[in-house]
Amino acid sequence: MKNSEVAKVFQDIADLLELKGENIFKIRAYQKAARAIEHYPRELKVMLDEGEDLQSIPGVGEAIAKKAAELITTGKLGYYENLKAEFPDGVTNLLAIPGIGPKTANKLASELRISSVDELERAINEGRVAKLFRLGEKTADNILYQIQALRRKDQRIPIGEALPIVEKILGALRSVPGMKNLTPAGSLRRFRETLGDIDLMGTADNPREVVDAFVALPQVGQVLAQGSTKASAIVNGGLQVDLRLVEHDSFGSLLQYFTGNKQHNISLRERGRKQGLKLSEYGITDIATNKLEKFSTEEAFYHRLGLQYIPPELREAQGEIEMAEQGAIPKLVELCDIKGDLHTHTEWSDGHDTIEAVALTAKDIGYQYIAITDHSAGRGIAHGLGVERLREQTAEIKALNEHITGIHILSGVEVDIRADGSLDLPHEILSELDIVIAAVHSAMNQSEEKMTRRVINAIENPDVNIIAHPTCRLIGEREPVAIDLEAVFRAAAKYNKIMEINATPERLDLKDIHAFRAKDLGVKLSIGTDTHSITHLGFMRFGVGVARRAWCEPQHILNTLPLTELLAALNRQR
DNA sequence: GCCGTTTTCGGCCCGACTGTTTTCAGTCG
Ligand SMILES: Nc1nc2c(ncn2[C@H]2C[C@H](O)[C@@H](COP(=O)(O)OP(=O)(O)OP(=O)(O)O)O2)c(=O)[nH]1
Ligand SMILES: [Mg+2]
Ligand SMILES: [Mg+2]
Ligand SMILES: [Zn+2]
């Protein structure tokens, strides 16, 4: 059973306990544990197999660890089954409707016997909901609207899709009079791979005026909430934007609050409490004197708490506060540390541009080197290169290297890993190349055992340097293949092979928590854009974002090495 | 249910907005 499935069960337990009216802190404990498990860098099943204690996960104690073990080993959880039996099926679906919390859901279930979204819709249309105590016409209308919105919209948006839209919204917001220090926050600033909404913030002499001007923008549709310091609205026909404003001198504390994540904020605030301090978006209040201290920067805010600054990408409540206490936050890799791109395609296979165009664009970016890694001729790949074409390409690259200055082109290939684990090209040609990346492109529904064996086979192959997009997932479109990454990483560490962080925004593969685990096991990583057109070279920022969320420093990333050291490292591998 | 550099018991983040409220509960960020 996968972590995501375990997390779902605990989240569902939390929902059921809410409906039941259980102690709120017990509910929060389940919610916290569910989130922690969902984002934990190791599979709980593997931990159990290796006899490790699940209580090392923050928020997981004796009771939840025991329940998780039962769930994973037997596939069922008695406590959960009993709890579910107390409620009609599907009643927790009501809680997914924005505006409906446990009290309302409970009321709907107990007084109107409603246990599904469809039933709720009918009841509203028949006027039964508005008659309930403390509900009314407006509330009923709002619920109806939210039901329809929920049916339209497809959950979370990949960050790669969101960023161009965010740029447009930022452009429009900059024109709002009085708006200062406009800044992205929330999951967008933390660089999560998908975003639930777009959180933007700023400062103003008069926040209310700016909020009013925001909702009046032509791009802004339905306004979900609007007050004197913030507004939530649907922008560009779908995306929810949360805009928050404070006065100028609270910029640092607002940025801290609004960047999150929620659990990071709660943990930080609990820690502050123990020092007699009350933390909020307005600043830090000394509880004894009731004096509010304001902060213009986040750095000062964290320092006031005796903590090292924590980069946004690390604020996921996975031990970063304890590390900051000890001054142990690493200096994360940055875009400017990247010396070249190791995964690109040209018109020689399925790319759009010439080798020269790709190389010159890379040079403009400031890279020292660029690897051309077109596809091999394997099954399912259009325009892949065979031995002869690859030799021709190598000759052309050699010629180009002689007349282009300021950038070195590596000749390489992205060789297909066949279903049986063998490579699509023979040793003779692979050994002539500067770099060989290998990847799965077909037969993706193999069993976990087969797929794992297949990829480890490629890792063991002495011609291979890098395993590209190891799980083959496409965010929101294709699930990752079934593969035992723990075993793959151990093999990569043993054979000194590199795992790729594929920076194409719909891939981001390895993803953050898996890259973290690989790094922890001593596996070196590379970041490659998988460029198919020169504009894609800019995807590097997404890969760096993933690497930062994986706590990577420059030393963990192969392509932070300067050219001569890179070539030496590649040679040592083969 | 979790957790501990004051604690193994008794706390558990803090504030904004809405609707229906005659003073605040519910929900959300
Ligand atoms: N202190 C505190 N801060 C919160 C709470 N809920 C949200 N925040 C802060 C931290 C969040 O990152 C930020 C934005 O809230 P969102 O609901 O948009 O969450 P976030 O952007 O992290 O994730 P998302 O991708 O939108 O699901 O507001 C809370 O309950 N307490
Ligand atoms: Mg958000
Ligand atoms: Mg938000
Ligand atoms: Zn590729």
Side-chain angles (χ1 to χ4, degrees):
Chain A
M1 183 172 277
K2 287 202 285 185
N3 285 356
S4 54
E5 299 169 85
V6 178
K8 241 199 193 103
V9 169
F10 286 124
Q11 179 55 52
D12 210 31
I13 289 175
D15 287 348
L16 291 165
L17 292 176
E18 274 199 308
L19 290 174
K20 204 171 167 176
E22 254 287 2
N23 178 298
I24 180 66
F25 299 107
K26 183 170 168 177
I27 293 163
R28 282 184 199 161
Y30 276 102
Q31 286 168 337
K32 181 180 175 185
R35 284 184 167 272
I37 290 169
E38 189 182 356
H39 295 116
Y40 204 64
R42 304 195 52 198
E43 283 295 320
L44 268 55
K45 181 168 186 314
V46 174
M47 292 176 71
L48 285 174
D49 288 346
E50 298 183 352
E52 284 179 60
D53 191 354
L54 300 185
Q55 292 189 55
S56 57
I57 302 168
V60 175
E62 202 181 326
I64 293 184
K66 225 174 128 218
K67 289 187 173 73
E70 179 186 337
L71 186 60
I72 291 166
T73 51
T74 71
K76 265 200 169 210
L77 177 57
Y79 175 75
Y80 178 46
E81 298 301 323
N82 293 338
L83 201 56
K84 272 200 295 190
E86 295 180 35
F87 299 88
D89 267 355
V91 68
T92 53
N93 290 337
L94 298 179
L95 291 170
I97 302 168
I100 295 191
K103 305 287 180 185
T104 309
N106 205 329
K107 199 176 290 175
L108 292 169
S110 60
E111 295 182 26
L112 296 180
R113 305 270 143 227
I114 289 170
S115 63
S116 75
V117 177
D118 288 345
E119 280 171 28
L120 176 57
E121 190 177 26
R122 230 175 300 132
I124 293 171
N125 287 327
E126 291 165 7
R128 291 173 7 232
V129 171
K131 292 202 187 82
L132 293 177
F133 181 67
R134 270 198 161 276
L135 294 172
E137 288 295 337
K138 279 198 172 175
T139 307
D141 281 355
N142 185 46
I143 293 172
L144 199 58
Y145 173 82
Q146 293 294 352
I147 289 175
Q148 281 149 8
L150 203 64
R151 286 190 182 133
R152 266 200 312 275
K153 105 174 184 192
D154 38 355
Q155 338 103 14
R156 303 175 62 84
I157 177 171
I159 190 166
E161 275 176 46
L163 278 190
I165 306 172
V166 169
E167 289 303 327
K168 281 198 201 122
I169 299 169
L170 285 174
L173 273 171
R174 274 191 205 97
S175 70
V176 169
M179 166 75 81
K180 296 268 156 55
N181 296 310
L182 182 60
T183 311
S187 49
L188 172 62
R189 180 159 182 253
R190 300 198 313 280
F191 224 91
R192 272 194 72 175
E193 64 188 37
T194 62
L195 312 179
D197 64 2
I198 308 296
D199 300 295
L200 304 175
M201 53 161 277
T203 65
D205 291 325
N206 186 341
R208 181 191 287 276
E209 281 176 8
V210 175
V211 169
D212 292 347
F214 162 62
V215 301
L217 285 174
Q219 294 87 342
V220 171
Q222 173 87 10
V223 177
L224 305 168
Q226 177 185 0
S228 61
T229 74
K230 70 175 184 180
S232 293
I234 304 298
V235 172
N236 284 354
L239 236 47
Q240 180 176 328
V241 173
D242 286 354
L243 178 68
R244 181 68 203 265
L245 292 142
V246 289
E247 290 175 18
H248 304 300
D249 48 4
S250 288
F251 176 83
S253 50
L254 175 62
L255 184 57
Q256 195 292 312
Y257 151 74
F258 211 33
T259 297
N261 73 9
K262 171 177 166 170
Q263 190 52 50
H264 174 89
N265 286 356
I266 291 176
S267 298
L268 203 66
R269 287 169 180 207
E270 282 175 342
R271 188 176 175 281
R273 274 261 136 185
K274 290 179 193 147
Q275 302 170 292
L277 303 172
K278 182 163 69 94
L279 282 54
S280 80
E281 59 266 48
Y282 296 105
I284 298 179
T285 306
D286 186 319
I287 295 169
T289 63
N290 204 27
K291 263 237 159 68
L292 174 69
E293 189 182 349
K294 296 182 176 181
F295 296 85
S296 58
T297 70
E298 276 188 322
E299 281 83 353
F301 191 95
Y302 281 101
H303 291 161
R304 173 69 183 80
L305 300 168
L307 296 173
Q308 201 181 356
Y309 175 74
I310 303 174
E313 294 91 338
L314 301 187
R315 301 183 199 167
E316 297 287 344
Q318 292 282 350
E320 68 277 6
I321 294 175
E322 293 75 8
M323 294 296 263
E325 243 160 33
Q326 300 158 21
I329 297 290
K331 192 175 172 329
L332 300 179
V333 62
E334 295 176 35
L335 192 54
C336 61
D337 293 320
I338 301 295
K339 303 290 198 307
D341 199 330
L342 296 179
H343 189 163
T344 69
H345 299 272
T346 70
E347 60 179 10
W348 282 69
S349 67
D350 61 352
H352 287 124
D353 294 295
T354 61
I355 299 172
E356 185 170 14
V358 171
L360 291 176
T361 308
K363 179 180 166 181
D364 280 349
I365 291 172
Y367 288 157
Q368 295 180 13
Y369 49 84
I370 180 98
I372 304 297
T373 57
D374 275 308
H375 290 287
S376 63
R379 272 182 46 215
I381 299 160
H383 313 298
L385 307 186
V387 173
E388 283 317 306
R389 289 280 288 157
L390 211 44
R391 287 221 168 94
E392 284 171 36
Q393 190 186 49
T394 305
E396 174 166 327
I397 288 174
K398 199 168 169 221
L400 279 170
N401 270 329
E402 273 162 23
H403 85 258
I404 299 181
T405 59
I407 183 113
H408 182 78
I409 311 169
L410 280 71
S411 44
V413 72
E414 178 178 5
V415 62
D416 184 47
I417 305 173
R418 296 187 187 128
D420 65 358
S422 65
L423 300 183
D424 196 28
L425 288 166
H427 167 74
E428 291 72 47
I429 180 71
L430 294 178
S431 62
E432 291 170 18
L433 300 171
D434 298 319
I435 182 169
V436 172
I437 68 184
V440 166
H441 299 95
S442 60
M444 293 191 194
N445 356 342
Q446 283 181 330
S447 69
E448 176 173 322
E449 206 185 351
K450 263 197 170 165
M451 184 61 82
T452 304
R453 190 57 244 165
R454 177 180 178 187
V455 171
I456 289 179
N457 227 54
I459 287 171
E460 290 169 351
N461 189 314
D463 288 323
V464 171
N465 299 110
I466 299 177
I467 301 295
H469 47 73
T471 76
C472 298
R473 68 143 177 193
L474 295 174
I475 297 174
E477 280 180 41
R478 184 168 71 209
E479 287 298 303
V481 296
I483 187 167
D484 180 354
L485 285 177
E486 192 82 4
V488 167
F489 295 159
R490 287 186 200 280
K494 179 172 167 197
Y495 289 92
N496 188 30
K497 295 299 168 74
I498 289 144
M499 303 299 293
E500 179 185 72
I501 295 173
N502 191 293
T504 295
E506 51 266 35
R507 287 192 184 270
L508 303 182
D509 180 14
L510 298 174
K511 65 188 268 174
D512 48 12
I513 56 178
H514 293 148
F516 179 92
R517 181 60 183 161
K519 182 211 68 183
D520 252 15
L521 288 172
V523 178
K524 192 125 177 183
L525 301 159
S526 71
I527 308 176
T529 59
D530 210 346
T531 282
H532 283 74
S533 128
I534 51 173
T535 57
H536 296 170
L537 286 167
F539 289 163
M540 189 58 76
R541 59 186 293 213
F542 294 102
V544 170
V546 173
R548 290 172 63 83
R549 290 178 58 83
W551 292 64
C552 286
E553 302 166 56
Q555 76 207 48
H556 299 120
I557 307 295
L558 180 72
N559 46 325
T560 60
L561 292 178
L563 176 61
T564 47
E565 289 175 42
L566 172 84
L567 293 173
L570 291 172
N571 276 329
R572 266 199 310 278
Q573 284 189 298
R574 305 205 285 161

